[in-house]
PDB file of all heavy atoms in Angstrom:
ATOM      1  N   ARG L 192      20.535 -57.933-101.751  1.00 96.00           N
ATOM      2  CA  ARG L 192      19.062 -57.544-101.601  1.00 96.00           C
ATOM      3  C   ARG L 192      18.380 -58.324-100.494  1.00 96.00           C
ATOM      4  O   ARG L 192      17.636 -57.777 -99.734  1.00 96.00           O
ATOM      5  CB  ARG L 192      18.333 -57.855-102.922  1.00 96.00           C
ATOM      6  CG  ARG L 192      16.808 -57.607-102.891  1.00 96.00           C
ATOM      7  CD  ARG L 192      16.072 -58.096-104.117  1.00 96.00           C
ATOM      8  NE  ARG L 192      16.291 -59.491-104.270  1.00 96.00           N
ATOM      9  CZ  ARG L 192      16.220 -60.202-105.409  1.00 96.00           C
ATOM     10  NH1 ARG L 192      15.985 -59.494-106.541  1.00 96.00           N
ATOM     11  NH2 ARG L 192      16.380 -61.515-105.444  1.00 96.00           N
ATOM     12  N   ASP L 193      18.670 -59.668-100.477  1.00 95.00           N
ATOM     13  CA  ASP L 193      18.019 -60.553 -99.475  1.00 95.00           C
ATOM     14  C   ASP L 193      18.357 -60.023 -98.109  1.00 95.00           C
ATOM     15  O   ASP L 193      17.468 -60.062 -97.214  1.00 95.00           O
ATOM     16  CB  ASP L 193      18.466 -61.989 -99.617  1.00 95.00           C
ATOM     17  CG  ASP L 193      18.030 -62.564-101.057  1.00 95.00           C
ATOM     18  OD1 ASP L 193      17.135 -61.978-101.654  1.00 95.00           O
ATOM     19  OD2 ASP L 193      18.628 -63.628-101.465  1.00 95.00           O
ATOM     20  N   THR L 194      19.623 -59.630 -97.878  1.00 96.00           N
ATOM     21  CA  THR L 194      20.025 -59.191 -96.518  1.00 96.00           C
ATOM     22  C   THR L 194      19.426 -57.858 -96.128  1.00 96.00           C
ATOM     23  O   THR L 194      18.941 -57.651 -95.068  1.00 96.00           O
ATOM     24  CB  THR L 194      21.550 -59.067 -96.515  1.00 96.00           C
ATOM     25  OG1 THR L 194      22.129 -60.338 -96.967  1.00 96.00           O
ATOM     26  CG2 THR L 194      22.038 -58.917 -95.108  1.00 96.00           C
ATOM     27  N   LEU L 195      19.376 -56.963 -97.146  1.00 97.00           N
ATOM     28  CA  LEU L 195      18.722 -55.667 -96.939  1.00 97.00           C
ATOM     29  C   LEU L 195      17.242 -55.840 -96.574  1.00 97.00           C
ATOM     30  O   LEU L 195      16.662 -55.254 -95.615  1.00 97.00           O
ATOM     31  CB  LEU L 195      18.784 -54.726 -98.123  1.00 97.00           C
ATOM     32  CG  LEU L 195      20.173 -54.124 -98.504  1.00 97.00           C
ATOM     33  CD1 LEU L 195      20.132 -53.429 -99.785  1.00 97.00           C
ATOM     34  CD2 LEU L 195      20.642 -53.194 -97.390  1.00 97.00           C
ATOM     35  N   MET L 196      16.588 -56.784 -97.295  1.00 97.00           N
ATOM     36  CA  MET L 196      15.128 -57.066 -97.049  1.00 97.00           C
ATOM     37  C   MET L 196      14.943 -57.612 -95.662  1.00 97.00           C
ATOM     38  O   MET L 196      13.989 -57.247 -94.959  1.00 97.00           O
ATOM     39  CB  MET L 196      14.634 -58.086 -98.147  1.00 97.00           C
ATOM     40  CG  MET L 196      14.545 -57.570 -99.527  1.00 97.00           C
ATOM     41  SD  MET L 196      13.222 -56.417 -99.778  1.00 97.00           S
ATOM     42  CE  MET L 196      11.873 -57.504 -99.982  1.00 97.00           C
ATOM     43  N   ASN L 197      15.904 -58.473 -95.230  1.00 97.00           N
ATOM     44  CA  ASN L 197      15.773 -59.070 -93.925  1.00 97.00           C
ATOM     45  C   ASN L 197      15.860 -58.010 -92.819  1.00 97.00           C
ATOM     46  O   ASN L 197      15.110 -57.893 -91.881  1.00 97.00           O
ATOM     47  CB  ASN L 197      16.829 -60.134 -93.814  1.00 97.00           C
ATOM     48  CG  ASN L 197      16.568 -61.100 -92.629  1.00 97.00           C
ATOM     49  OD1 ASN L 197      15.866 -60.788 -91.642  1.00 97.00           O
ATOM     50  ND2 ASN L 197      17.131 -62.304 -92.704  1.00 97.00           N
ATOM     51  N   LEU L 198      16.845 -57.117 -93.053  1.00 97.00           N
ATOM     52  CA  LEU L 198      17.120 -56.003 -92.054  1.00 97.00           C
ATOM     53  C   LEU L 198      15.905 -55.065 -92.013  1.00 97.00           C
ATOM     54  O   LEU L 198      15.503 -54.628 -90.959  1.00 97.00           O
ATOM     55  CB  LEU L 198      18.329 -55.177 -92.402  1.00 97.00           C
ATOM     56  CG  LEU L 198      19.726 -55.952 -92.199  1.00 97.00           C
ATOM     57  CD1 LEU L 198      20.873 -55.075 -92.943  1.00 97.00           C
ATOM     58  CD2 LEU L 198      19.984 -56.075 -90.725  1.00 97.00           C
ATOM     59  N   ALA L 199      15.339 -54.809 -93.236  1.00 97.00           N
ATOM     60  CA  ALA L 199      14.196 -53.885 -93.360  1.00 97.00           C
ATOM     61  C   ALA L 199      12.939 -54.398 -92.677  1.00 97.00           C
ATOM     62  O   ALA L 199      12.033 -53.610 -92.436  1.00 97.00           O
ATOM     63  CB  ALA L 199      13.935 -53.535 -94.750  1.00 97.00           C
ATOM     64  N   GLN L 200      12.911 -55.696 -92.377  1.00 96.00           N
ATOM     65  CA  GLN L 200      11.753 -56.186 -91.606  1.00 96.00           C
ATOM     66  C   GLN L 200      11.789 -55.664 -90.131  1.00 96.00           C
ATOM     67  O   GLN L 200      10.651 -55.599 -89.541  1.00 96.00           O
ATOM     68  CB  GLN L 200      11.784 -57.778 -91.563  1.00 96.00           C
ATOM     69  CG  GLN L 200      11.449 -58.394 -92.920  1.00 96.00           C
ATOM     70  CD  GLN L 200      11.597 -59.845 -92.887  1.00 96.00           C
ATOM     71  OE1 GLN L 200      11.766 -60.472 -91.846  1.00 96.00           O
ATOM     72  NE2 GLN L 200      11.664 -60.511 -94.108  1.00 96.00           N
ATOM     73  N   GLY L 201      12.978 -55.376 -89.607  1.00 96.00           N
ATOM     74  CA  GLY L 201      13.006 -54.860 -88.306  1.00 96.00           C
ATOM     75  C   GLY L 201      12.596 -55.848 -87.196  1.00 96.00           C
ATOM     76  O   GLY L 201      11.836 -55.532 -86.278  1.00 96.00           O
ATOM     77  N   THR L 202      13.013 -57.133 -87.420  1.00 94.00           N
ATOM     78  CA  THR L 202      12.588 -58.221 -86.506  1.00 94.00           C
ATOM     79  C   THR L 202      13.682 -58.858 -85.710  1.00 94.00           C
ATOM     80  O   THR L 202      13.667 -59.985 -85.321  1.00 94.00           O
ATOM     81  CB  THR L 202      11.820 -59.252 -87.334  1.00 94.00           C
ATOM     82  OG1 THR L 202      12.643 -59.751 -88.415  1.00 94.00           O
ATOM     83  CG2 THR L 202      10.543 -58.798 -87.899  1.00 94.00           C
ATOM     84  N   ARG L 203      14.769 -58.094 -85.548  1.00 96.00           N
ATOM     85  CA  ARG L 203      15.923 -58.660 -84.770  1.00 96.00           C
ATOM     86  C   ARG L 203      15.467 -58.858 -83.331  1.00 96.00           C
ATOM     87  O   ARG L 203      14.807 -58.054 -82.715  1.00 96.00           O
ATOM     88  CB  ARG L 203      17.108 -57.635 -84.775  1.00 96.00           C
ATOM     89  CG  ARG L 203      18.315 -58.102 -84.012  1.00 96.00           C
ATOM     90  CD  ARG L 203      19.353 -57.108 -83.997  1.00 96.00           C
ATOM     91  NE  ARG L 203      19.958 -56.729 -85.248  1.00 96.00           N
ATOM     92  CZ  ARG L 203      20.778 -57.544 -85.995  1.00 96.00           C
ATOM     93  NH1 ARG L 203      21.187 -58.707 -85.432  1.00 96.00           N
ATOM     94  NH2 ARG L 203      21.258 -57.157 -87.103  1.00 96.00           N
ATOM     95  N   MET L 204      15.838 -59.975 -82.778  1.00 94.00           N
ATOM     96  CA  MET L 204      15.542 -60.205 -81.336  1.00 94.00           C
ATOM     97  C   MET L 204      16.294 -59.187 -80.509  1.00 94.00           C
ATOM     98  O   MET L 204      17.412 -58.803 -80.818  1.00 94.00           O
ATOM     99  CB  MET L 204      15.994 -61.608 -80.961  1.00 94.00           C
ATOM    100  CG  MET L 204      15.241 -62.740 -81.605  1.00 94.00           C
ATOM    101  SD  MET L 204      15.651 -64.368 -80.995  1.00 94.00           S
ATOM    102  CE  MET L 204      14.777 -64.400 -79.492  1.00 94.00           C
ATOM    103  N   GLU L 205      15.647 -58.765 -79.415  1.00 91.00           N
ATOM    104  CA  GLU L 205      16.305 -57.655 -78.632  1.00 91.00           C
ATOM    105  C   GLU L 205      16.398 -58.153 -77.184  1.00 91.00           C
ATOM    106  O   GLU L 205      15.499 -58.677 -76.565  1.00 91.00           O
ATOM    107  CB  GLU L 205      15.386 -56.457 -78.681  1.00 91.00           C
ATOM    108  CG  GLU L 205      15.451 -55.777 -80.086  1.00 91.00           C
ATOM    109  CD  GLU L 205      14.706 -54.465 -80.146  1.00 91.00           C
ATOM    110  OE1 GLU L 205      13.770 -54.261 -79.367  1.00 91.00           O
ATOM    111  OE2 GLU L 205      15.070 -53.627 -80.989  1.00 91.00           O
ATOM    112  N   GLY L 206      17.676 -58.038 -76.701  1.00 85.00           N
ATOM    113  CA  GLY L 206      17.905 -58.244 -75.226  1.00 85.00           C
ATOM    114  C   GLY L 206      18.008 -59.745 -74.901  1.00 85.00           C
ATOM    115  O   GLY L 206      18.262 -60.112 -73.755  1.00 85.00           O
ATOM    116  N   TYR L 207      17.785 -60.655 -75.871  1.00 83.00           N
ATOM    117  CA  TYR L 207      17.733 -62.120 -75.610  1.00 83.00           C
ATOM    118  C   TYR L 207      19.062 -62.718 -75.965  1.00 83.00           C
ATOM    119  O   TYR L 207      19.636 -62.486 -77.009  1.00 83.00           O
ATOM    120  CB  TYR L 207      16.628 -62.823 -76.288  1.00 83.00           C
ATOM    121  CG  TYR L 207      16.613 -64.301 -76.056  1.00 83.00           C
ATOM    122  CD1 TYR L 207      16.071 -64.878 -74.995  1.00 83.00           C
ATOM    123  CD2 TYR L 207      17.116 -65.170 -77.111  1.00 83.00           C
ATOM    124  CE1 TYR L 207      16.085 -66.243 -74.777  1.00 83.00           C
ATOM    125  CE2 TYR L 207      17.105 -66.535 -76.933  1.00 83.00           C
ATOM    126  CZ  TYR L 207      16.569 -67.107 -75.817  1.00 83.00           C
ATOM    127  OH  TYR L 207      16.509 -68.446 -75.631  1.00 83.00           O
ATOM    128  N   ALA L 208      19.613 -63.581 -75.061  1.00 87.00           N
ATOM    129  CA  ALA L 208      20.859 -64.375 -75.381  1.00 87.00           C
ATOM    130  C   ALA L 208      20.800 -65.751 -74.811  1.00 87.00           C
ATOM    131  O   ALA L 208      20.323 -65.890 -73.685  1.00 87.00           O
ATOM    132  CB  ALA L 208      22.047 -63.588 -74.851  1.00 87.00           C
ATOM    133  N   ASP L 209      21.262 -66.723 -75.557  1.00 89.00           N
ATOM    134  CA  ASP L 209      21.275 -68.062 -75.163  1.00 89.00           C
ATOM    135  C   ASP L 209      22.656 -68.650 -75.339  1.00 89.00           C
ATOM    136  O   ASP L 209      23.018 -69.142 -76.521  1.00 89.00           O
ATOM    137  CB  ASP L 209      20.201 -68.872 -76.040  1.00 89.00           C
ATOM    138  CG  ASP L 209      20.186 -70.309 -75.606  1.00 89.00           C
ATOM    139  OD1 ASP L 209      20.909 -70.755 -74.668  1.00 89.00           O
ATOM    140  OD2 ASP L 209      19.388 -71.084 -76.198  1.00 89.00           O
ATOM    141  N   PRO L 210      23.423 -68.685 -74.285  1.00 89.00           N
ATOM    142  CA  PRO L 210      24.823 -69.205 -74.455  1.00 89.00           C
ATOM    143  C   PRO L 210      24.944 -70.532 -75.022  1.00 89.00           C
ATOM    144  O   PRO L 210      25.894 -70.950 -75.710  1.00 89.00           O
ATOM    145  CB  PRO L 210      25.354 -69.155 -73.023  1.00 89.00           C
ATOM    146  CG  PRO L 210      24.474 -68.176 -72.275  1.00 89.00           C
ATOM    147  CD  PRO L 210      23.136 -68.274 -72.905  1.00 89.00           C
ATOM    148  N   SER L 211      23.937 -71.410 -74.791  1.00 88.00           N
ATOM    149  CA  SER L 211      23.991 -72.808 -75.199  1.00 88.00           C
ATOM    150  C   SER L 211      23.907 -72.971 -76.790  1.00 88.00           C
ATOM    151  O   SER L 211      24.366 -73.920 -77.326  1.00 88.00           O
ATOM    152  CB  SER L 211      22.822 -73.616 -74.625  1.00 88.00           C
ATOM    153  OG  SER L 211      21.593 -73.201 -75.082  1.00 88.00           O
ATOM    154  N   THR L 212      23.427 -71.937 -77.426  1.00 92.00           N
ATOM    155  CA  THR L 212      23.325 -72.006 -78.939  1.00 92.00           C
ATOM    156  C   THR L 212      24.388 -71.196 -79.642  1.00 92.00           C
ATOM    157  O   THR L 212      24.558 -71.221 -80.844  1.00 92.00           O
ATOM    158  CB  THR L 212      21.974 -71.577 -79.476  1.00 92.00           C
ATOM    159  OG1 THR L 212      21.771 -70.213 -79.107  1.00 92.00           O
ATOM    160  CG2 THR L 212      20.831 -72.344 -78.882  1.00 92.00           C
ATOM    161  N   ALA L 213      25.276 -70.507 -78.835  1.00 94.00           N
ATOM    162  CA  ALA L 213      26.253 -69.637 -79.470  1.00 94.00           C
ATOM    163  C   ALA L 213      27.270 -70.402 -80.291  1.00 94.00           C
ATOM    164  O   ALA L 213      27.613 -69.972 -81.470  1.00 94.00           O
ATOM    165  CB  ALA L 213      26.930 -68.757 -78.395  1.00 94.00           C
ATOM    166  N   ALA L 214      27.727 -71.503 -79.750  1.00 93.00           N
ATOM    167  CA  ALA L 214      28.786 -72.289 -80.480  1.00 93.00           C
ATOM    168  C   ALA L 214      28.158 -72.918 -81.780  1.00 93.00           C
ATOM    169  O   ALA L 214      28.826 -72.926 -82.855  1.00 93.00           O
ATOM    170  CB  ALA L 214      29.279 -73.445 -79.559  1.00 93.00           C
ATOM    171  N   GLN L 215      26.917 -73.301 -81.663  1.00 93.00           N
ATOM    172  CA  GLN L 215      26.205 -73.827 -82.776  1.00 93.00           C
ATOM    173  C   GLN L 215      26.043 -72.828 -83.932  1.00 93.00           C
ATOM    174  O   GLN L 215      26.390 -73.068 -85.149  1.00 93.00           O
ATOM    175  CB  GLN L 215      24.838 -74.367 -82.409  1.00 93.00           C
ATOM    176  CG  GLN L 215      24.053 -75.073 -83.472  1.00 93.00           C
ATOM    177  CD  GLN L 215      22.606 -75.335 -82.942  1.00 93.00           C
ATOM    178  OE1 GLN L 215      22.388 -75.404 -81.745  1.00 93.00           O
ATOM    179  NE2 GLN L 215      21.670 -75.601 -83.842  1.00 93.00           N
ATOM    180  N   ASP L 216      25.674 -71.551 -83.542  1.00 94.00           N
ATOM    181  CA  ASP L 216      25.576 -70.539 -84.546  1.00 94.00           C
ATOM    182  C   ASP L 216      26.882 -70.179 -85.132  1.00 94.00           C
ATOM    183  O   ASP L 216      27.088 -69.913 -86.362  1.00 94.00           O
ATOM    184  CB  ASP L 216      24.968 -69.193 -83.848  1.00 94.00           C
ATOM    185  CG  ASP L 216      23.475 -69.389 -83.559  1.00 94.00           C
ATOM    186  OD1 ASP L 216      22.890 -70.255 -84.161  1.00 94.00           O
ATOM    187  OD2 ASP L 216      22.992 -68.589 -82.702  1.00 94.00           O
ATOM    188  N   ALA L 217      27.904 -70.122 -84.278  1.00 95.00           N
ATOM    189  CA  ALA L 217      29.338 -69.855 -84.745  1.00 95.00           C
ATOM    190  C   ALA L 217      29.785 -70.843 -85.788  1.00 95.00           C
ATOM    191  O   ALA L 217      30.424 -70.544 -86.770  1.00 95.00           O
ATOM    192  CB  ALA L 217      30.292 -69.768 -83.533  1.00 95.00           C
ATOM    193  N   MET L 218      29.467 -72.100 -85.511  1.00 93.00           N
ATOM    194  CA  MET L 218      29.808 -73.223 -86.441  1.00 93.00           C
ATOM    195  C   MET L 218      29.160 -73.012 -87.801  1.00 93.00           C
ATOM    196  O   MET L 218      29.682 -73.253 -88.903  1.00 93.00           O
ATOM    197  CB  MET L 218      29.411 -74.592 -85.903  1.00 93.00           C
ATOM    198  CG  MET L 218      29.939 -75.738 -86.672  1.00 93.00           C
ATOM    199  SD  MET L 218      31.731 -75.742 -86.929  1.00 93.00           S
ATOM    200  CE  MET L 218      32.186 -76.412 -85.409  1.00 93.00           C
TER     201      MET L 218
END
């Protein structure tokens, strides 16, 4: 439910990418 609720907000960032935080997110 929590994940569906998050998706239903429709607030995903679009077109933005930050290579410097990718490894941190992956961890």
Side-chain angles (χ1 to χ4, degrees):
R192 176 190 61 206
D193 297 343
T194 311
L195 289 174
M196 292 284 282
N197 200 334
L198 289 168
Q200 288 174 15
T202 52
R203 182 184 296 284
M204 294 184 79
E205 292 184 331
Y207 175 79
D209 181 0
S211 65
T212 62
Q215 184 185 342
D216 288 340
M218 186 58 79

